[in-house]
Amino acid sequence: MSNTAAMAGSAVGSSAEHLTLMLLYQLVVILAFSRLVSWISTRFLGQTAVAGEILAGLLLGPSLIGALFPDLSHALFVPETRPIFVGLAQLGLILLMFQIGMEFQMTPGRGRDGRAVALISLTGIIIPFALGYATAPFFWRELGMDPDQGLLAFRLFFAIAMSITAIPILGRIFMELGLSHTRTASLVIGSAAIDDICGWMLLGLVAAIVAANFDMVMFLARIAGVALFVAVMLALVRPFLSRWVAGRMAKEGGTLDTTTIAGLLLVLLGAAIITSNLGIFAIIGGFIVGHCLQNDRAFVAQWKMRVGGLVQVLLLPLFFAYTGLRTDVGSLSASGWGLCALVCLVAFAGKFGGAYLACRALGESHRQAATIGVAMNTRALMELIVLNIGYDMGVLPKPMFSMLVVMAIVSTFMATPLIRWLMASERVSPELTRARLAGLSAE
């Protein structure tokens, strides 16, 4: 008996060691490849670093590396490590959404620019959502899906996918191009912030509907639970957290100590657990906790310095790789690529067209309207989060998931060169840009 137990324990230990080793191999490959593609993208393609990391995730999967070296890919990304890999990627998303929640500023401004932000954000989400909802049945039929099964859920998620704008990458693009001082940047960031908060609200609403299997009683119960959770967080948790964090930082001379970080992580993970059980996904909990702390800018700067780098450098590339491993553009047929082009057309027409028409109605110049339209069409990371949620819920078929990932990457890679060209006369000197970037990194 003791020999059998010893052999079993040895086998378990050997298996655990093997899984750990495979996970380490995966991390090394993902980080090295992400850094390489990111460097190439910034050095030779004029893109932002995060755009390169998104592309690296796609190339690392079956779309390129998996197609060229299938045996190597299968040997590296073994199924046994998938739960650990997924867990790390999801943890990274929760932490990232916490940071995004801290960055969201919902004040659109006053006067003419305030009205412009309101109108641009309104048309920038209503028009693409309506266009996506109207065209979704066509794509569902072209994919060969049963029109009586799952169409409504697909229409709702497809419409949301058409409506998302990537505010984090837009801020970085305008900063790196030396355009953060411009009125255009202010209009875009304000409009994108409102668009994305509306997008997340719609996503939570649709996720709750689908999770409730369109049962109205269950749906209303979930919404009531979410509303109660948000009310408690904003009315009770937010002032307590703000006072606690401010007191801890004052005690530590303005720095963020490990005890405070541990306490915040407990609150963050607890909120993620609650929203996950409510059917609107763990990442929403992270966003809400971040929003509770957004007014304490000293804390935000300390968090970025102490924790943000780990999220950006390690956990975020894992999410991009996770998305890339689920995306196989090589499996798309010629007709599939034609359908992909139509998806891009619908996405670009809705987002660019909505923002462009709003700007022209406000009296903006053609060039200004085109710039804002291009910027609002940028999807990047935020789109990938939505797509993974839809895929995990079984709402997005794999071919459509791949097409929408391609759309997100194309829209992101289009943005930087087009904005650079459209706003060439407003750019500040490279020296000042580097100084501002250094200040951003120090925050």
Side-chain angles (χ1 to χ4, degrees), residues 16 102-103 120-121 163 166 187 202 224 233 249 266 297 338 375 412:
M102 293 190 294
E103 293 299 317
I120 293 168
S121 60
S163 309
L187 291 177
L202 283 171
M233 290 296 296
M249 288 185 63
L266 286 173
R297 304 317 295 173
T412 303

Side-chain angles (χ1 to χ4, degrees), residues 102-103 105 238 241-250 254 256 264 290-303:
M102 293 190 294
E103 293 299 317
Q105 300 292 330
R238 176 165 61 180
L241 268 185
S242 296
R243 287 195 300 269
W244 181 70
V245 169
R248 292 287 310 178
M249 288 185 63
L256 193 61
L264 286 172
H291 184 71
C292 289
L293 291 166
Q294 69 170 192
N295 293 325
D296 192 339
R297 304 317 295 173
F299 160 74
V300 173
Q302 280 287 308
W303 180 272

Side-chain angles (χ1 to χ4, degrees), residues 13 42 49 52 125 144 148 305 372 406 435:
T42 54
I125 200 165
D148 297 323
M305 185 173 67
I372 293 174
V406 170

Side-chain angles (χ1 to χ4, degrees), residues 31-164:
L31 292 181
F33 192 72
S34 295
R35 290 294 93 198
L36 174 63
V37 177
S38 180
W39 177 76
I40 293 172
S41 298
T42 54
R43 181 72 175 80
F44 300 104
L45 302 180
Q47 296 290 331
T48 58
V50 71
E53 290 172 358
I54 293 172
L55 179 61
L58 177 67
L59 299 180
L60 199 56
S63 298
L64 181 67
I65 301 299
L68 296 177
F69 310 102
D71 293 338
L72 176 63
S73 181
H74 291 151
L76 178 63
F77 295 104
V78 293
E80 292 81 2
T81 61
R82 186 178 183 276
I84 307 172
F85 192 83
V86 172
L88 289 173
Q90 292 302 315
L91 177 62
L93 276 188
I94 293 170
L95 289 168
L96 179 70
M97 290 303 294
F98 173 67
Q99 293 177 188
I100 291 173
M102 293 190 294
E103 293 299 317
F104 263 72
Q105 300 292 330
M106 289 300 298
T107 304
R110 298 178 180 177
R112 179 169 177 262
D113 284 357
R115 291 190 295 272
V117 165
L119 183 60
I120 293 168
S121 60
L122 189 66
T123 56
I125 200 165
I126 290 177
I127 292 178
F129 187 93
L131 189 58
Y133 189 84
T135 57
F138 165 78
F139 292 110
W140 192 250
R141 289 193 301 271
E142 291 299 310
L143 290 170
M145 307 300 292
D146 185 349
D148 297 323
Q149 295 290 329
L151 175 57
L152 179 56
F154 173 73
R155 291 183 78 171
L156 291 170
F157 262 95
F158 188 77
I160 290 174
M162 297 297 103
S163 309
I164 292 296

Side-chain angles (χ1 to χ4, degrees), residues 47 120 124 162 164-167 169-171 173-174 177 179 184 187-189 191-192 195 347-359 365-380 407-423:
Q47 296 290 331
I120 293 168
M162 297 297 103
I164 292 296
T165 295
I167 185 172
I169 198 172
L170 280 175
I173 288 172
F174 281 110
L177 293 181
L179 294 167
T184 301
L187 291 177
V188 167
I189 297 301
S191 301
D195 260 18
F348 299 168
K351 203 68 177 176
F352 175 88
Y356 179 86
L357 290 175
C359 289
S365 68
H366 164 71
R367 199 176 190 89
Q368 174 87 334
T371 304
I372 293 174
V374 167
M376 294 293 287
N377 186 50
T378 307
R379 263 55 176 224
M407 181 272 290
I409 293 174
V410 171
S411 69
T412 303
F413 268 72
M414 287 170 54
T416 301
L418 286 175
I419 293 173
R420 179 188 289 114
W421 172 62
L422 288 166
M423 299 186 68

